[in-house]
Amino acid sequence: FAAGAGYVHAVAPRETIAELREAEPDLLTLAQAFDATPSDDLRELAARADCIVAGPGYGRGDGRADFLLELLRGTRAHVLDADALTAFQGAPGTLAELATRAPTILTPHPGEFRALLPMLAAEREVDPWHAAAAGSAELRATLLLKGVPSVIASGGRAIWTVAAGNPGLGSGGSGDVLSGIAGTLLAQRVEPDIAAALAALALGMAGDIAARRVTAHAMRPMDVIQALPDVWREWGLAPILRNRGGAPVIAELPAPAAI
């Protein structure tokens, strides 16, 4: 909602849905056990969705990858994060097959990247740009490699680097906020690599605003969400995207000093 999505469904097991309805009355919900096959109601919902964000709260267990493969067949766009990435550990080819069906953004942190693509783990430590590009080619998806900085690679397109943010974004749940922003932009037909880069930049800027308000030490993901409207005011996001068809902000880092 804070990123501009006007119609949001949460899909989760029944006991989680009961808590969500109480905490977020604006949220539409659908109960679905993740260790069962997708229900007809869920298939219909997925077919209508502009974008599906999968992974936060998904949990780990047998059949998680098969569930996603069955659910996301024929859908319009995906953001896969957290446990949705872990579900494909050891099966990057299966994940690549899913990513070829629709625009897909993957948002691994270093541990998830290492589990998905162990052959690139060492490369990520010394050259995250090459690792992100190679990972994107291997998985056939836009890859948002979270870190300091975050690096976004997508096919043969230019690589984005996002250096915004502060240590407060290391709190659990910040990556879920990032996925929500990226999914909202992808649903609005923003190109996947630009959607991923804008999401990372918006998260970092909102995190800096939140840190000024409550300190990075005390910052929680909800503080970041509450700061997002200030980011949108600063960017004037919607008219710029509509009129220019591209990213509203390009932050250019100074060149390294010559030695």
Side-chain angles (χ1 to χ4, degrees):
F1 285 124
Y7 195 64
V8 182
H9 270 85
V11 178
R14 191 170 303 279
E15 59 273 17
T16 303
I17 291 297
E19 296 182 15
L20 281 174
R21 285 175 176 165
E22 192 169 326
E24 291 287 347
D26 297 328
L27 195 63
L28 297 169
T29 59
L30 178 66
Q32 168 69 55
F34 295 143
D35 56 359
T37 58
S39 67
D40 290 341
D41 288 341
L42 178 54
R43 294 175 195 273
E44 181 182 348
L45 177 62
R48 289 189 284 112
D50 293 309
C51 182
I52 294 176
V53 178
Y58 188 47
R60 302 181 184 185
D62 294 339
R64 289 298 200 268
D66 292 335
F67 182 96
L68 286 174
L69 287 170
E70 189 171 351
L71 174 64
L72 299 180
R73 184 179 293 112
T75 50
R76 298 175 187 173
H78 326 127
V79 177
L80 302 186
D81 182 29
D83 290 334
L85 297 175
T86 303
F88 292 99
Q89 181 175 344
T94 304
L95 181 56
E97 177 189 349
L98 175 62
T100 59
R101 298 174 183 171
T104 301
I105 297 174
L106 311 176
T107 63
H109 60 50
E112 291 159 349
F113 183 81
R114 185 165 50 249
L116 274 175
L117 300 167
M119 64 285 198
L120 294 173
E123 184 76 15
R124 186 220 159 268
E125 298 299 323
V126 296
D127 189 350
W129 294 272
H130 180 267
S136 173
E138 179 74 20
L139 299 173
R140 303 179 192 176
T142 296
L143 189 69
L144 196 174
L145 182 53
K146 293 185 284 195
V148 183
S150 292
V151 178
I152 298 94
S154 185
R157 293 165 67 92
I159 295 176
W160 296 76
T161 304
V162 178
N166 60 75
L169 291 172
S171 299
S174 295
D176 302 349
V177 179
L178 174 66
S179 295
I181 301 170
T184 299
L185 293 169
L186 199 56
Q188 295 169 352
R189 305 296 191 269
V190 179
E191 289 291 326
D193 61 324
I194 296 177
L198 288 178
L201 185 57
L203 181 80
M205 294 178 68
D208 288 341
I209 294 169
R212 290 195 292 271
R213 291 174 179 169
V214 301
T215 75
H217 184 75
M219 194 169 83
R220 299 181 303 166
M222 187 54 69
D223 299 316
V224 179
I225 292 172
Q226 291 172 347
L228 280 172
D230 297 286
V231 176
W232 309 142
R233 289 190 192 99
E234 182 174 344
W235 285 6
L237 180 61
I240 293 177
L241 282 180
R242 183 171 60 250
N243 295 335
R244 299 183 187 177
V249 175
I250 296 178
E252 184 175 348
L253 301 179
I259 298 177

